[in-house]
Amino acid sequence: MSSPLYRDPAAPVPDRVRDLLGRMTLAEKVGQVNQRLYGWHAYERTPAGEFRLTEAFRAEVAAYDGMGALYGLQRADPWSGVTFADGITAADAAAVADSVQRHLVEETRLGIPVLMVEEVPHGHQALDGTVLPVNLAVGGSWDPDLYEAAAAAAAAELRARGGHVALVSALDLVRDPRWGRAEECFGEDPYLAARFTEALVRGMRSRDVGVVLKHFAGQGATVGGRNSAATELGVRELHEIHLAAALAGVRAGAAGVMAAYNEFDGLPCAASPYLLTELLRDRWEFDGIVMADGCALDRLTRLAGDPVAAGAMALAAGTDLSLWDAAFPRLGEAVERGLVSVAALDAAVARVLTLKFRLGLFENPYVGERERPSGVTELSERLARASVTLLEHDARTLPLGPAVRRIAVIGPNADSVPQQIGDYTAPQRPGTGVTVLDGIRAAAGRGREVTYARGCELVGGDSSGVARAVATASDADVAVLVLGGSSAREADTRFEANGAAVVTSGNPAGMTCGEGVDLADLALPGGQSALFDAVAATGVPVVVVLVQGRPHALPERFDRAAAVLCAWYPGPWGGRAVADIVFGTVVPAGRLPVSVPRSAAQLPVFYNAKDHGYRGYVDQQATARYAFGHGLGYGTVDYGPPRLSRSTVSPADPRLTCTVTVEHTGGAAVRETVQLYVRRLSGGASWPRVRELRGFTQVDLAPGERREVTFEVTAETLASVGRDLELLVDAGELTVEVGPSSDRVQGAPLTVTPGSASPR
């Protein structure tokens, strides 16, 4: 008897999908668009320490004679409750994954493999998974090539453990830093986020991992920075700001997108035909999967009337794969009630099956002898080092020279690995990581004295430790004051059904960032501010290091610091990265991926606002404390004016070059991030923005060195969203600007003459 066509690896994928679909029952189809079971409920440890599949898993497979996807088989964190005592380590991962897959392949009628879907927010969220710096730190590196290498390494780890699909936040932007999930964003700018999203997809695809990009679309624009709240986006704002990264990821080959919780134009994203069908499928010709966020489809019951109708609404809009909800498992009823067509269900099933064929699961369903990759830790540390941003310095205190013999390290974030690794992180083995205190002690070497005082707690106004901190600082040549926030979840944290932490007023858990941890006030907690004031009053030079997952507001009091460094959440080895910068082993190269406000009352402060000529508040400045793109080195660099190869172009042929001279004028060697912006002065389809990032490159400059930096300006550089919401080069007067940050640029005029618009 010959094998069915879907088993033939030489047959075209569409033919294999069509053949397999024709053999499936309604129940089997419904099973392929569901991932109901939490993966950590699929296995259990025996008293002998071995792993076995649970009855819950076997029952879920039997209910549909198959399984579309299994979420989080290897997830470990306080929400799942998985620890080293009962979870899957790297040594066991491949065998457990293979046992799951073997059950699907050998114990179901059609033998369809299951997609293993895992969270990879900043490294695989599993026991022994290598943790990378959070996305906001990655954005601060302004180095997509380095991130691509790190993403590839993380994907190789995932694949070696049996994972196939990585869920990664990439599409959200920090438009309001009060939002607790700011750390998951690459920054506030669509161009910067698009470049890192491309790098993410390229890196993971190179290791045969499918990427599902989160969250589609506009989740970073929720009102008041409130997680999962409504947005007030118009369609033009959506296209100009919030879709650039998604489009870049789709074009780079993303396997899927995850529909966001928020609504757009009155409909939750998972039920939006405009987003999921008209835009994603029809305009962008995306043929990957659309996944719902956790339990998001159940929320549609308020609109649809019951879970069956809710599932039908989402399926008809373009959602293909559920996540833990009770609506999609009842799609069979929806078909039988005539609420949705069999054709709509078949289309969703076909996309899930297509992904399985593309990943080669029918030919190679098992992990086999894949070797765990090496070098991931080194890449994590390199990313951390590249992201540390020098915001302020007096040109004397840093880097710490040999004359500095006594160093006081002070602050609630100085000696805690959990507080520097961010949200969505698995438990770490004891001894993993290097705190800032550890890093400075190791880098100081013999002959220097490093003392430590905590000073205060992370949150609250307790000042009982300030006196000791002041005494410690007074005996030192310099005080390194490590402040900021934490997304570390305690083991007894309460969670919503979708995994978001429940943090009550007063924040007893100590979290100041992370999903479900939105802030009304961006100021550092009172105890930290009091600690800074007391240590600064000693007269000892103070180097502030901010370990944080969002840009905390920095009022004028911090002008008294000798230097201010932002390390974001740099990952387990971030302490070594900070020490390298403090001692000058490595030059500071990070640049801000987000504007830093003076207070929450200023918001919004993102740099690319509409250019309406607003003059500011009466009671305080309206400008950011530190602008997007800002970052200093230990040397100084001068920029000449930009020079364009052409001052006039047409939409049909907009190509030109922009060249700028950058010259090292003093101090140590630097790594300079040269930034290209475009500012529209007239013309276009909507009121112009102040300026928009359209290119960047990093150059190393030795003392006294002078370099010519040239940007290729193309249709993509000059494109804007036209009347029909498509990208095109439109006629008008522009300025092409170059500089070290968004608030320190020089421009050259460029005219785009009227003519046939050139689509991007």
Side-chain angles (χ1 to χ4, degrees), residues 218-242:
Q219 186 166 262
T222 54
V223 176
R226 300 180 180 119
N227 193 45
S228 302
T231 65
E232 294 180 348
L233 287 173
V235 67
R236 178 163 295 279
E237 179 83 2
L238 178 76
H239 280 261
E240 288 183 349
I241 297 296
H242 296 278

Side-chain angles (χ1 to χ4, degrees), residues 393-444:
H393 76 127
D394 59 8
R396 298 187 306 273
T397 303
L398 291 181
L400 300 183
V404 177
R405 313 302 295 174
R406 296 170 302 169
I407 304 167
V409 180
I410 299 168
N413 268 349
D415 194 27
S416 173
V417 168
Q419 289 173 201
Q420 67 188 39
I421 57 180
D423 198 7
Y424 281 100
T425 305
Q428 302 294 292
R429 288 187 183 273
T432 298
V434 177
T435 68
V436 175
L437 175 61
D438 292 336
I440 289 176
R441 278 176 171 161

Side-chain angles (χ1 to χ4, degrees), residues 64-158:
Y64 302 96
D65 201 20
M67 179 179 284
L70 180 62
Y71 169 92
L73 176 69
Q74 300 179 48
R75 177 169 177 167
D77 64 341
W79 178 46
S80 65
V82 176
T83 68
F84 282 100
D86 56 1
I88 303 171
T89 65
D92 305 309
V96 177
D98 280 352
S99 67
V100 168
Q101 197 70 275
R102 189 170 293 108
H103 184 80
L104 268 298
V105 171
E106 297 180 0
E107 302 298 329
T108 61
R109 184 177 73 91
L110 295 171
I112 303 173
V114 64
L115 284 171
M116 302 287 195
V117 178
E118 295 285 339
E119 296 281 3
V120 189
H122 44 110
H124 185 195
Q125 190 183 337
L127 302 176
D128 298 323
T130 303
V131 179
L132 303 176
V134 297
N135 281 0
L136 199 54
V138 169
S141 74
W142 288 60
D143 191 343
D145 292 339
L146 177 57
Y147 181 55
E148 182 175 337
E157 276 196 351
L158 177 69

